[in-house]
């Protein structure tokens, strides 16, 4: 793949996102993950939302279309350029910024969301602390991450060992780790759910996807995607 954003140490660029969305299994998987994140976020109309690690802006603009006032940040300049170039990009604000050093005052946002960014962050604790800092009291953080105990994670580890620059640096998280990071940042964890329990095979995905939401409410073991919802306590 050409045009990858390596100037800032990123092993991929917006082209990889676009390629994933053209594949049948990518579309189905993306739809399940998106449905889970939207469910955990709840109503967004009229709310200020920070999309941390917004990538090419696709999800940020989905939130904007639902009436949210969205700001998307990403440390990759090429991702932000791609986000600003998307149709409808005027519906959100996009800025180059690191998740570990969010350039906004404390208590700026009603909601914060971060989807599959911790897998490429060496230390997740500052990301949670920054997300908690910029949330208003009573605000909500939703994190979606690649689960450690799944067939997808196993295959990605093998690809990393085989020389993939993308997966060699990836870190896969467990439910317990995500909860620990959130609580250490002063957040109250409300729920953790899983998604994508099928292997990376299009036929298996089509067969098992209808059962995915029910499984996700029962366990995160075997889930390729784990999502956490946590709240910032109200000021007493």
């Amino acid at each position: 793949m050409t045009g990858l954003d390596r100037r800032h140490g990123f092993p991929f660029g917006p082209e990889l996102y676009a390629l994933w969305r053209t594949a049948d299994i990518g579309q189905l998987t993306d739809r399940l993950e998106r449905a889970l994140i939207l469910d955990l976020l709840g109503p967004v109309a009229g709310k200020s939302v920070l999309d941390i690690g917004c990538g090419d802006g696709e999800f940020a603009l989905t939130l904007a279309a639902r009436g949210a006032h969205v700001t998307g940040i990403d440390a990759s300049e090429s991702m932000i350029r791609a986000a600003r170039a998307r149709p409808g990009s005027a519906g959100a604000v996009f800025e180059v910024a690191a998740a570990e050093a969010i350039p906004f005052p404390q208590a700026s946002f009603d909601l914060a969301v971060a989807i599959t960014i911790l897998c490429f962050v060496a230390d997740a604790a500052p990301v949670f602390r920054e997300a908690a800092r910029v949330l208003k009291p009573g605000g909500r953080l939703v994190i979606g991450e690649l689960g450690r105990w799944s067939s997808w994670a196993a295959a990605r580890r093998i690809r990393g060992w085989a020389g993939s620059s993308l997966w060699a640096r990836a870190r896969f998280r467990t439910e317990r780790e995500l909860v620990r990071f959130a609580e250490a940042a002063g957040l109250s964890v409300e729920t953790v759910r899983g998604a994508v329990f099928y292997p990376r095979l299009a036929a298996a995905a089509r067969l098992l996807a209808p059962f995915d939401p029910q499984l996700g409410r029962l366990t995160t073991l075997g889930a390729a995607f784990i999502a956490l919802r946590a709240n910032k306590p109200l000021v007493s």
Side-chain angles (χ1 to χ4, degrees):
M1 187 173 301
T2 60
L4 299 191
D5 187 357
R6 298 183 184 277
R7 288 172 301 160
H8 300 284
F10 298 100
F12 59 94
E15 298 88 351
L16 190 61
Y17 282 8
L19 184 65
W20 172 244
R21 294 189 190 114
T22 63
D24 288 345
I25 193 168
Q27 293 175 18
L28 180 55
T29 301
D30 196 53
R31 188 160 61 244
L32 287 171
E33 293 174 355
R34 176 194 300 265
L36 176 55
I37 294 295
L38 289 171
D39 184 38
L40 294 180
L41 278 172
V44 299
K47 295 184 178 180
S48 55
V49 183
L50 178 64
D51 187 354
I52 304 169
C54 65
D56 64 0
E58 196 270 344
F59 187 69
L61 294 181
T62 295
L63 297 176
R66 290 172 172 243
H69 307 293
V70 184
T71 299
I73 63 170
D74 200 287
S76 164
E77 292 179 4
S78 69
M79 288 292 193
I80 293 300
R81 284 197 301 272
R84 289 171 176 167
R86 294 186 72 88
S89 61
V93 175
F94 295 105
E95 296 188 17
V96 177
E100 302 92 332
I102 297 173
F104 301 111
Q106 90 178 45
S108 295
F109 298 94
D110 300 308
L111 301 167
V113 60
I115 304 173
T116 59
I117 67 165
L118 298 181
C119 42
F120 301 111
V121 172
D123 183 5
V127 179
F128 277 87
R129 288 197 298 268
E130 280 292 272
R133 181 184 66 80
V134 299
L135 278 175
K136 298 175 183 178
R140 173 176 294 170
L141 170 66
V142 174
I143 290 273
E145 269 308 311
L146 303 182
R148 178 178 295 176
W149 308 121
S150 75
S151 62
W152 292 61
R156 286 162 173 164
R157 288 192 196 96
I158 292 170
R159 290 166 66 188
W161 297 335
S164 166
S165 61
L166 174 61
W167 298 115
R169 64 180 291 180
R171 295 166 180 260
F172 305 103
R173 310 289 179 176
T174 66
E175 175 180 347
R176 182 175 297 179
E177 285 178 294
L178 295 176
V179 169
R180 186 173 69 245
F181 281 125
E183 291 178 343
L187 300 172
S188 175
V189 176
E190 186 175 347
T191 188
V192 184
R193 284 162 52 186
V196 189
F197 289 87
Y198 47 79
R200 188 169 175 164
L201 297 168
R206 288 191 291 269
L207 179 65
L208 299 174
F211 306 100
D212 210 81
Q214 293 91 329
L215 282 171
R217 293 180 181 277
L218 297 174
T219 183
T220 60
L221 186 63
F225 187 75
I226 299 176
L228 170 146
R229 180 170 66 199
N231 301 314
K232 184 171 182 176
L234 292 167
V235 176
S236 56

